[in-house]
Amino acid sequence: MPAPLLSAAPSPANAPEWSVTDLAAALKRTLEDAFGHVRLRGEISGYRGPHGSGHAYFSLKDGGAKIDAVIWKGTLGRLRHRPKEGLEVVATGRITTFPGKSAYQIVIDALEPAGEGAWMALLEERRRQLAAEGLFDAARKRPLPYLPRVVGVVTSPTGAVIRDILHRLEDRFPRPVLVWPVRVQGEGSAEEIAAAIRGFNALPPDGPIPRPDVLIVARGGGSIEDLWSFNEEIVVRAAAESAIPLISAVGHETDVTLIDHAADRRAPTPTGAAEMAVPVRLDLLADLDDLARRHAGALARLIDRRRSDLRGLARVIPSPEALLAVKRQRLDLAEARLRPALAAAARAAQRRLDRVLQGLVRHPPALRLARARERLAGIDHRPRHALERVIAVRAERLNGIAPRLDAAVARDDERRRGHLARIVALFDSLNYRAVLSRGYALVLDVEGRPVAEAEAARAAGHITVEFADGKVAATVEGTAPRRAAAKRGPAAPARQGSLFD
């Protein structure tokens, strides 16, 4: 084994021999031992996106030097901030060498923008991108419920924010509160916040855990780096997709994050969010009391007015005695006239009955019946003989008409038979099957249409030939005649005539 790199030989003549590989390995170990973990600040240069392998290669530079940098595929997928050409960053990683190029490089484990200006530039770029997708449109925002049954809060369970929200809700209008505890800062906090928003939305309306009617996403104040989780795309999209109205209460009034644009309402503070979520219970009670007093006063005034109207109408309406007086008088007059009228009618009926009895005495019914029987006996069988004579006359007339009717029917039947024979003959002459029975054939294409020319048959390829006793499928072989042959003037193929011409 060669001696360590730092134990140089005292003279060139006694210097040990190194292979290139051994020297590169010794330099790698020495560099990694001396600079095992560093933080570098510089500007990204030469970044063109991930390589085909998924790794990212670029350089970090400042005013006086440049160093190669690499981010392995697994690390690149976990970074909160992706590299971008020209972005000033603070990179954390290990210094090592790449023996294949005799170069040193930094293998980056973490990356974040350097300085507030870089953070703001990244924030503005992301804001424009999400705004172009319509996530911040005012038409997407929903009104908050006036009095929610349940309030959902997404925040840290240990901070002062949740205590402020609960205290303000208790003061204004106590409501059941569901708290989804999350980290509001640091690695993985954005994923937890987005999962909490989607988790509240996933609760069934009639499930064992009540589904909130309004959500509050809250955090206390801090620097832009502290509030960056609420600028992450996953959080903004979750807020925009929320079916439950959402109030954003991140930071102080001067702090603006991207979730503020996607939320349905933005509160300046977490306490302000609680004030937006519920009304003041005492104010509602006061308003309710005022409405009750106004309702009672209006009802009393309405009753007084209706009572006064009823009294006025009662004075106008006549008494029952006055209404019935005229009717009673008419009834008395009718009763006075009815008795004489009934007596007169009875007398008149008695006179008519007396006249009828006198007529029956003068002409008894038995005498009238005997006379009728005498007249009937005199008539005897004369009606039957008259009817027989009429029937005989009409039968004689019918016997004279019958031969003439039979002759007329026979002539009409012969005329109709001749006309029908002429129609049958005309149909047979026009029916194409009669032509087929003489040895002709009908050519049809695949759609059943007649083919009248050889060129059309070649173009169809598959045809059906119909004979008098059935159809046969056929395939046309050969191609259409060339145009050059046509120019030489050969005889044109015989054109088959249509059977329907």
Side-chain angles (χ1 to χ4, degrees), residues 307-339:
R307 183 182 291 112
S308 177
D309 295 342
L310 183 60
R311 289 171 180 170
L313 292 174
R315 288 193 296 269
V316 175
I317 297 175
S319 63
E321 292 76 8
L323 289 175
L324 297 177
V326 176
K327 305 295 183 183
R328 287 176 177 174
Q329 187 176 3
R330 290 180 180 176
L331 181 60
D332 294 340
L333 293 176
E335 182 182 3
R337 291 196 297 269
L338 181 59
R339 290 179 179 177

Side-chain angles (χ1 to χ4, degrees), residues 147-208:
L147 183 59
R149 294 172 298 176
V150 179
V151 178
V153 180
V154 178
T155 189
S156 172
T158 59
V161 171
I162 185 60
R163 292 194 297 271
D164 293 342
I165 292 176
L166 295 176
H167 180 70
R168 183 48 59 97
L169 290 175
E170 185 68 23
D171 289 343
R172 291 176 65 85
F173 204 118
R175 295 277 87 186
V177 178
L178 289 180
V179 180
W180 196 301
V182 296
R183 290 179 294 171
V184 293
Q185 183 178 345
E187 189 71 23
S189 58
E191 287 75 11
E192 292 185 11
I193 297 169
I197 296 174
R198 293 192 171 102
F200 273 131
N201 279 271
L203 291 175
D206 300 326

Side-chain angles (χ1 to χ4, degrees), residues 243-280:
I244 303 174
L246 188 143
I247 303 174
S248 171
V250 178
H252 300 299
E253 187 171 0
T254 56
D255 298 323
V256 179
T257 57
L258 294 183
I259 193 176
D260 296 334
H261 300 291
D264 298 299
R265 291 284 296 275
R266 175 185 181 267
T269 60
T271 303
E275 295 176 354
M276 290 181 181
V278 296
V280 179

Side-chain angles (χ1 to χ4, degrees), residues 250-397:
V250 178
H252 300 299
E253 187 171 0
T254 56
D255 298 323
V256 179
T257 57
L258 294 183
I259 193 176
D260 296 334
H261 300 291
D264 298 299
R265 291 284 296 275
R266 175 185 181 267
T269 60
T271 303
E275 295 176 354
M276 290 181 181
V278 296
V280 179
R281 183 172 182 271
L282 295 179
D283 291 346
L284 290 179
L285 292 176
D287 292 342
L288 185 61
D289 292 340
D290 181 62
L291 290 174
R293 287 193 299 270
R294 293 170 57 187
H295 181 267
L299 185 60
R301 290 191 296 273
L302 178 62
I303 293 174
D304 291 341
R305 185 169 62 253
R306 295 292 174 83
R307 183 182 291 112
S308 177
D309 295 342
L310 183 60
R311 289 171 180 170
L313 292 174
R315 288 193 296 269
V316 175
I317 297 175
S319 63
E321 292 76 8
L323 289 175
L324 297 177
V326 176
K327 305 295 183 183
R328 287 176 177 174
Q329 187 176 3
R330 290 180 180 176
L331 181 60
D332 294 340
L333 293 176
E335 182 182 3
R337 291 196 297 269
L338 181 59
R339 290 179 179 177
L342 288 176
R347 289 193 296 271
Q350 184 64 42
R351 288 193 295 272
R352 289 195 297 273
L353 181 59
D354 293 341
R355 288 195 297 271
V356 171
L357 291 175
Q358 293 174 4
L360 291 176
V361 170
R362 289 193 300 269
H363 305 286
L367 180 60
R368 298 178 63 183
L369 181 59
R371 291 175 180 175
R373 285 176 178 175
E374 290 177 0
R375 289 196 300 273
L376 181 60
I379 294 174
D380 195 11
H381 298 295
R382 284 182 293 176
R384 182 170 62 83
H385 295 321
L387 180 61
E388 290 176 353
R389 286 195 299 273
V390 171
I391 292 174
V393 172
R394 293 193 177 182
E396 185 178 357
R397 291 179 182 177

Side-chain angles (χ1 to χ4, degrees), residues 15-191:
E17 291 185 359
W18 293 77
S19 67
V20 176
T21 302
D22 292 339
L23 180 60
L27 288 172
K28 179 179 178 68
R29 288 192 300 271
T30 302
L31 191 59
E32 290 179 352
D33 291 341
F35 302 96
H37 193 268
V38 297
R39 283 171 58 86
L40 291 181
R41 179 169 182 162
E43 179 183 329
I44 295 178
S45 175
Y47 181 74
R48 294 295 182 269
H51 195 264
S53 61
H55 312 314
Y57 300 96
F58 54 92
S59 299
L60 291 176
K61 68 178 183 179
D62 57 13
K66 181 171 70 172
I67 182 175
D68 292 338
V70 59
I71 304 178
W72 302 129
K73 178 180 178 181
T75 304
L76 185 63
R78 296 192 304 268
L79 291 180
R80 294 173 55 192
H81 307 286
R82 293 299 184 94
K84 182 182 177 182
E85 180 70 21
L87 182 65
E88 187 177 4
V89 297
V90 175
T92 303
R94 298 174 292 106
I95 299 296
T96 184
T97 64
F98 179 54
K101 291 179 59 179
S102 298
Y104 68 96
Q105 62 186 9
I106 178 173
V107 179
I108 297 176
D109 297 325
L111 192 71
E112 60 184 20
E116 186 173 351
W119 289 96
M120 294 302 296
L122 184 61
L123 177 64
E124 180 60 22
E125 179 184 358
R126 184 171 295 173
R127 187 195 66 79
R128 288 197 300 268
Q129 174 189 350
L130 297 178
E133 297 182 21
L135 299 185
F136 304 154
D137 292 347
R140 297 173 57 94
K141 301 184 183 300
R142 294 167 296 277
L144 302 181
Y146 180 71
L147 183 59
R149 294 172 298 176
V150 179
V151 178
V153 180
V154 178
T155 189
S156 172
T158 59
V161 171
I162 185 60
R163 292 194 297 271
D164 293 342
I165 292 176
L166 295 176
H167 180 70
R168 183 48 59 97
L169 290 175
E170 185 68 23
D171 289 343
R172 291 176 65 85
F173 204 118
R175 295 277 87 186
V177 178
L178 289 180
V179 180
W180 196 301
V182 296
R183 290 179 294 171
V184 293
Q185 183 178 345
E187 189 71 23
S189 58
E191 287 75 11

Side-chain angles (χ1 to χ4, degrees), residues 407-463:
V409 170
R411 289 193 301 273
D412 185 69
D413 183 58
E414 183 178 357
R415 184 173 63 255
R416 290 179 181 272
R417 288 178 181 274
H419 182 65
L420 181 60
R422 289 192 298 275
I423 292 175
V424 171
L426 179 61
F427 176 78
D428 291 339
S429 65
L430 296 178
N431 188 4
Y432 76 96
R433 296 188 181 276
V435 180
L436 297 182
S437 65
R438 297 199 297 272
Y440 289 90
L442 176 62
V443 180
L444 305 172
D445 59 12
V446 293
E447 296 181 357
R449 296 175 299 189
V451 179
E453 298 178 354
E455 184 176 356
R458 294 189 189 97
H462 298 282
I463 61 174

